[in-house]
Amino acid sequence: MSELQELTAAVEKGNRKEAIRLTNLLIEAGMPPMDIVETGLVPAMSNVGEKFKNNEIFVPEMLIAARAMKEAMAIIQPLLTAAGIKPKYTAIIGTVQGDLHDIGKNLVAMMLKGANFNVIDIGTNVPPEKFVAAAKEHEAQLVGLSALLTTTMPAMKTTVEAFRTAGLNTVKIMIGGAPITQEFADEIGADGYSPDAASAVDLANKMVAA
Ligand code: B1M
């Protein structure tokens, strides 16, 4: 088994110490940090999701896997963040009301920071008015909404509506998360949809430049 495969297995099992050791090892070996995320860490969570769906594991196992993933990502985050250059744009990012999933959202936040956005992460289970207040307070050009549950997708709609009602029409709204599609983004009037963290950066750059 390669070290990358060992990392996937460690995260899947929720073995934090191994996940940290292997992440450091791969960094020292010169592997690009984003490759570690995409080919080592993200597949672990996909496997965890599959097993959960098939009733092979349950919420506690999912939680410990998520915690191992977070600790590995905490090592990688500073490496992805561009040093020294003053960010030109501010983005507010959060997971919508009712939804506690934050791994994908954190990944998008990390990538945006790496692309030199000033990212204000307002966490999970965020009500629409909190998104609006944060965008006003920080004079954000971009707002990112994440949702992982089909049951919380309607909260994206109410958040988009809250922005329109508040008259913040110049703030671009990007949405994403496993159940989200471009069709849904169009339906709720979001400005853009991105399927993953890497394309979220390309889309964010296009949106703020438009
Ligand atoms: Co939850 N969970 N979970 N869970 N969980 C899913 C999402 C699920 C698909 C599992 C399954 O059944 N196969 C299922 C949802 C079913 C559905 O609605 N269709 C599910 C369920 C049912 C639940 C609970 C209801 C379980 C229960 O309690 N009975 C519960 C809900 C709690 C709540 O939110 N209110 C729950 C709880 C949890 C944990 C707390 C245990 C834990 C979350 C821990 C945490 O996030 N801190 C958890 C986990 C870990 C998962 C799975 C296994 C993994 C999610 C993840 O982190 N993926 C997940 C199954 C799966 O997705 N395979 C599952 C890795 C991450 C990198 O991917 O988040 O998709 P993802 O992000 C991607 C893209 O989607 C995109 O970029 C990211 C990187 O490429 N993206 C964006 C995401 N946000 C974006 C925003 C953007 C742009 C792109 O712009 C702003």
Side-chain angles (χ1 to χ4, degrees):
M1 206 193 277
S2 75
E3 277 145 358
L4 200 60
Q5 288 167 325
E6 280 183 47
L7 175 62
T8 306
V11 171
E12 224 179 297
K13 285 188 209 132
N15 187 338
R16 294 153 66 193
K17 278 194 183 151
E18 256 318 82
I20 291 168
R21 185 185 73 80
L22 288 159
T23 302
N24 282 322
L25 203 105
L26 289 164
I27 290 167
E28 278 157 28
M31 178 171 259
M34 205 51 212
D35 288 1
I36 301 177
V37 175
E38 280 174 349
T39 56
L41 300 176
V42 172
M45 297 317 288
S46 306
N47 296 345
V48 166
E50 251 337 275
K51 286 186 177 164
F52 178 75
K53 206 164 58 186
N54 299 330
N55 291 324
E56 290 167 40
I57 60 163
F58 301 95
V59 173
E61 287 96 330
M62 259 206 307
L63 263 179
I64 55 167
R67 200 175 52 184
M69 167 118 182
K70 265 191 179 172
E71 296 203 11
M73 293 217 307
I75 301 170
I76 291 171
Q77 172 144 22
L79 304 175
L80 290 176
T81 305
I85 312 154
K86 200 170 179 290
K88 200 168 160 193
Y89 299 111
T90 294
I92 306 294
I93 189 161
T95 306
V96 295
Q97 191 159 34
D99 203 319
L100 301 174
H101 295 85
D102 68 357
I103 297 176
K105 181 262 298 168
N106 293 346
L107 208 47
V108 175
M110 212 188 271
M111 291 292 286
L112 287 173
K113 279 183 197 165
N116 202 32
F117 275 76
N118 171 32
V119 179
I120 316 283
D121 186 341
I122 55 173
T124 59
N125 190 20
V126 180
E129 55 279 11
K130 193 170 166 191
F131 275 108
V132 171
K136 277 186 186 161
E137 184 191 341
H138 298 282
E139 296 178 355
Q141 289 80 23
L142 182 79
V143 171
L145 313 178
S146 181
L148 262 287
L149 300 171
T150 45
T151 50
T152 56
M153 287 168 66
M156 286 186 151
K157 184 170 190 272
T158 43
T159 307
V160 172
E161 283 166 0
F163 273 86
R164 305 308 176 221
T165 309
L168 294 180
N169 296 320
T170 57
V171 180
K172 305 286 183 195
I173 303 179
M174 170 167 75
I175 67 170
I180 310 304
T181 59
Q182 181 63 54
E183 198 183 19
F184 179 69
D186 295 341
E187 189 187 308
I188 67 167
D191 299 295
Y193 154 74
S194 166
D196 56 57
S199 29
V201 171
D202 294 339
L203 179 65
N205 276 320
K206 273 192 206 135
M207 286 166 90
V208 292

